[in-house]
């Protein structure tokens, strides 16, 4: 029996990443980034980045306050891409080399 899709049908090709990257908090997204290999980050980035604008335009058709679950998952997946993009585009590593330990950082709002 196949599991229920996590994402809208238009983004079905991203389903292999959904369980890992549809994370609801910045903390969870950062933890996933830090526990992923650079190869895993790059694979996710290459799969999602080319259609990110399409996903944003799709989400613009919904109210943020009343997003259906699949659309909420799509938003969280897009936010995960934002979280990992610096590792792919700039650091070439999940965390910058010779930087303060990532475990010592906490997110404050």
């Amino acid at each position: 029996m196949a599991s229920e899709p996590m994402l809208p049908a238009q983004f079905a090709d991203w389903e292999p990443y959904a369980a890992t990257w549809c994370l609801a908090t910045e903390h969870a997204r950062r933890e996933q980034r830090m526990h992923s290999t650079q190869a895993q980050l790059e694979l996710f980035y290459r799969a999602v980045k080319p259609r990110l604008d399409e996903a944003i335009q799709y989400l613009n058709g919904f109210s943020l306050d009343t997003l259906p679950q699949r659309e909420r998952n799509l938003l969280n997946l897009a936010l995960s891409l934002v979280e990992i993009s610096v590792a792919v585009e700039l650091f070439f590593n999940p965390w910058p080399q010779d930087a303060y330990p990532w475990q010592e950082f906490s997110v404050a709002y």
Side-chain angles (χ1 to χ4, degrees):
M1 179 176 191
S3 63
E4 187 73 21
M6 292 181 68
L7 300 171
Q10 303 86 306
F11 302 96
D13 54 324
W14 293 350
E15 282 293 336
Y17 306 99
T20 302
W21 292 107
C22 292
L23 302 168
T25 67
E26 190 280 339
H27 177 78
R29 292 186 286 270
R30 182 177 56 133
E31 289 289 316
Q32 182 59 45
R33 173 181 146 200
M34 295 307 152
H35 289 100
S36 297
T37 66
Q38 186 65 18
Q40 290 168 324
L41 297 178
E42 290 176 12
L43 186 66
F44 173 60
Y45 180 91
R46 284 193 309 270
V48 175
K49 177 72 167 72
R51 294 182 57 208
L52 181 61
D53 287 343
E54 180 185 343
I56 292 168
Q57 290 306 313
Y58 174 81
L59 290 170
N60 281 342
F62 297 87
S63 169
L64 187 59
D65 295 330
T66 59
L67 273 177
Q69 187 59 52
R70 288 181 185 168
E71 284 71 17
R72 171 91 40 208
N73 289 341
L74 179 62
L75 174 61
N76 288 333
L77 186 133
L79 291 172
S80 288
L81 179 72
V82 172
E83 174 68 34
I84 67 106
S85 65
V86 69
V88 175
E89 296 173 0
L90 183 63
F91 301 153
F92 310 106
N93 196 60
W95 188 251
Q97 300 292 328
D98 302 319
Y100 196 72
W102 69 270
Q103 301 90 334
E104 301 297 323
F105 283 88
S106 64
V107 177
Y109 297 96

